[in-house]
Amino acid sequence: MNDTFERARQCFFDGLQALEAGRLDDAERSFEASLALVPGRASTLTNLGAVRIRLGRPAEALPLLDEAVAAQPEHVEGWLQRGLALERLGRDAEALPCFERVLAQAPDDAPTLYRIAMALNRLGRHADALARLEHLLRVQPGHARGWTLHGQTLQSLERHDEALPSYERALALDPTDAWAWTLRGGLLKDLGRRDEAVAAFEQAIAHGGDAEYNGYFLAALGGRPKPARAPGAYVQQLFDGYAERFDEHLVQVLNYRSPGMLAERIAALGRRFAHALDLGCGTGLCGPLVAPVVGRLDGVDLSQAMLDKARALGVYGRLERADLVDHLRATPHRHDLVLAADVFTYLGDLNDVFAGVTRVLEPGGWFVFSVERADDGVDFELRGTLRYAHSARYLRTLAASGGFDVGEISEATLREDQRRPIAGLLVLLQRR
């Protein structure tokens, strides 16, 4: 027995040495060997779990870490690693109590405070996140990323004038932080300070920030040619962070009307649809409205947080996280109704969308959607709001070339923005 323990101990120390040297595959083998010799040791389970997280396999790490904290509930490192595994899996609500366990043992630990604030922000609990960040910045005022997140959280709370000094503080501490430059640019854009916003986005690119992402903002400000669509990273981040308050904000603050108007027109077609597809379904605002005339309703969206909200409604069959153009190109399923409420505000060039809808839509099926309205002098335009608008002329051209008959293209107010009505088009096309 002593010999077995000594061999397990040696394997464990071999694993630690490999881990410190960054040889993760060797570390994993050593910890696995140690665990095979002496099962159930919390320290070995925790280290093996940590290695698998770093190898990008958090789902395999989680059972090990569950076992570690069950065997030794006071083992802080086990709780930390379990929180990290859950964080990587997008399970922030479960990760938070793990990080809180760590913080209970080290109340001023900056990395843990930052992780908690990040998780709270992703969960839409911005006020709680702000309290954690203010604690972090009291104990470590030189935490540049903390100041960046502080500004981002204030911005989420619509406290824009307070957010700007936080970004300034972050950039004074680290002028190379591309993400801080991007966030500062977005805030300056919202404050109407165009030239300063352009300079901030250019600084973000110069310091290694995502050129497509920052270039999209620059295009909206007139500083670059307009891209054909919004970057997927922008759309996903926007709606992942918006999911918790999406329905309330759209309906109560922005007086959002598109789903209701589209549902009324679908009902007025006087038929029942066997299999509908909701493109960019979001939280599922359209789902309950069209469900009475649909046999099966599927949805696709880039944001997992939005899809989770839609799934809770119980009206969707299949929900898939994907880019909608990619989905239309690849899905084996066919539909007799495809709808999209205000989804094309993040797509300028709609040629690929129409080609994809033609592929999945049965003859005689309907393609029903809304867009913001542009003048007929352009096909589409990217506005300073970071949303695209499309002209009726452009949509008629696409319909004709795609094999659709126009049932309706009518003007309507889709919603409000800063209490101003947003003019749009409601479009009903039938595939020949």
Side-chain angles (χ1 to χ4, degrees):
M1 180 64 183
N2 286 339
D3 181 59
T4 300
F5 182 83
E6 282 303 317
R7 283 190 288 128
R9 184 171 176 272
Q10 185 58 54
C11 288
F12 177 79
F13 284 116
D14 288 345
L16 290 180
Q17 188 175 33
L19 180 57
E20 289 174 8
R23 294 183 285 107
L24 299 181
D25 290 335
D26 291 342
E28 182 178 31
R29 283 190 289 269
S30 294
F31 290 133
E32 285 173 341
S34 180
L35 205 58
L37 291 163
V38 180
R41 285 183 61 82
S43 57
T44 313
L45 290 162
T46 298
N47 278 282
L48 181 55
V51 168
R52 288 183 176 170
I53 292 170
R54 289 178 61 179
L55 286 167
R57 290 151 47 201
E60 294 178 42
L62 190 57
L64 299 167
L65 298 163
D66 288 343
E67 187 180 349
V69 296
Q72 196 172 331
E74 71 281 5
H75 186 47
V76 173
E77 184 65 22
W79 287 108
L80 173 61
Q81 296 299 330
R82 184 175 188 271
L84 291 174
L86 289 163
E87 179 186 77
R88 302 290 196 279
L89 292 167
R91 294 161 60 177
D92 287 306
E94 296 170 80
L96 270 175
C98 299
F99 294 142
E100 295 287 3
R101 288 257 197 165
V102 178
L103 201 64
Q105 298 299 316
D108 294 339
D109 183 63
T112 304
L113 285 164
Y114 185 78
R115 288 189 186 100
I116 289 172
M118 288 282 286
L120 289 167
N121 267 320
R122 286 191 293 266
L123 290 167
R125 295 169 53 184
H126 303 300
D128 293 336
L130 189 63
R132 296 296 189 177
L133 287 165
E134 289 175 348
H135 180 183
L136 163 63
L137 295 169
R138 281 195 300 271
V139 300
Q140 194 171 328
H143 197 295
R145 275 301 172 105
W147 284 109
T148 299
L149 189 59
H150 187 255
Q152 189 175 5
T153 305
L154 287 166
Q155 203 168 344
S156 297
L157 291 166
E158 299 185 0
R159 293 163 60 177
H160 301 306
D161 291 339
E162 297 172 71
L164 192 56
S166 295
Y167 294 141
E168 303 289 0
R169 185 74 175 268
L171 289 165
L173 290 164
D174 182 5
T176 68
D177 186 344
W179 185 234
W181 281 113
T182 296
L183 292 169
R184 182 176 183 271
L187 179 54
L188 289 166
K189 178 191 75 67
D190 291 344
L191 293 172
R193 293 160 62 174
R194 178 195 173 280
D195 291 346
E196 293 173 84
V198 167
F201 291 123
E202 288 174 343
Q203 282 289 325
I205 294 172
H207 291 295
D210 188 312
E212 182 188 23
Y213 187 100
N214 288 282
Y216 179 65
F217 284 86
L218 286 167
L221 292 166
R224 291 197 175 187
K226 62 187 178 187
R229 61 187 300 174
Y234 167 75
V235 177
Q236 183 179 345
Q237 181 192 55
L238 174 67
F239 288 104
D240 277 348
Y242 196 14
E244 288 300 316
R245 57 192 179 93
F246 182 77
D247 293 5
E248 179 183 1
H249 187 249
L250 273 183
V251 176
Q252 297 182 18
V253 179
L254 301 183
N255 197 17
Y256 183 48
R257 305 181 181 97
S258 295
M261 292 188 293
L262 292 178
E264 287 174 3
R265 282 158 172 79
I266 291 169
L269 294 173
R271 59 176 282 187
R272 183 168 179 80
F273 295 92
H275 194 178
L277 174 63
D278 188 355
L279 293 175
C281 62
T283 59
L285 285 174
C286 284
L289 300 178
V290 302
V293 296
V294 170
R296 178 188 173 96
L297 177 63
D298 293 341
V300 60
D301 201 279
L302 261 180
S303 168
Q304 186 60 54
M306 290 284 191
L307 290 170
D308 291 343
K309 299 280 283 188
R311 184 171 289 106
L313 297 174
V315 298
Y316 289 90
R318 182 184 299 102
L319 285 166
E320 182 174 338
R321 180 180 173 275
D323 173 87
L324 67 89
V325 171
D326 292 342
H327 178 82
L328 291 170
R329 285 173 177 159
T331 180
H333 303 288
R334 297 296 178 265
H335 309 275
D336 52 359
L337 172 65
V338 175
L339 66 147
D342 287 5
V343 177
F344 303 144
T345 50
Y346 300 101
L347 291 166
D349 185 339
L350 297 181
N351 277 286
D352 288 344
V353 172
F354 270 72
V357 171
T358 300
R359 176 181 174 272
V360 305
L361 191 62
E362 301 283 3
W366 285 87
F367 181 24
V368 179
F369 60 92
S370 60
V371 296
E372 292 189 15
R373 178 173 60 82
D375 294 334
D376 279 342
V378 298
D379 290 346
F380 61 89
E381 61 185 8
L382 176 61
R383 294 174 167 171
T385 57
L386 300 174
R387 293 190 296 270
Y388 288 95
H390 301 81
S391 69
R393 177 192 57 76
Y394 176 58
L395 298 175
R396 289 183 186 278
T397 300
L398 289 173
S401 61
F404 292 93
D405 292 323
V406 176
E408 176 184 344
I409 297 181
S410 59
E411 296 185 7
T413 297
L414 304 180
R415 56 181 173 76
E416 296 174 0
D417 190 356
Q418 299 180 356
R419 299 188 178 180
R420 291 179 297 180
I422 300 300
L425 299 170
L426 304 178
V427 184
L428 284 80
L429 307 176
Q430 186 174 32
R431 189 179 171 202
R432 297 186 195 119

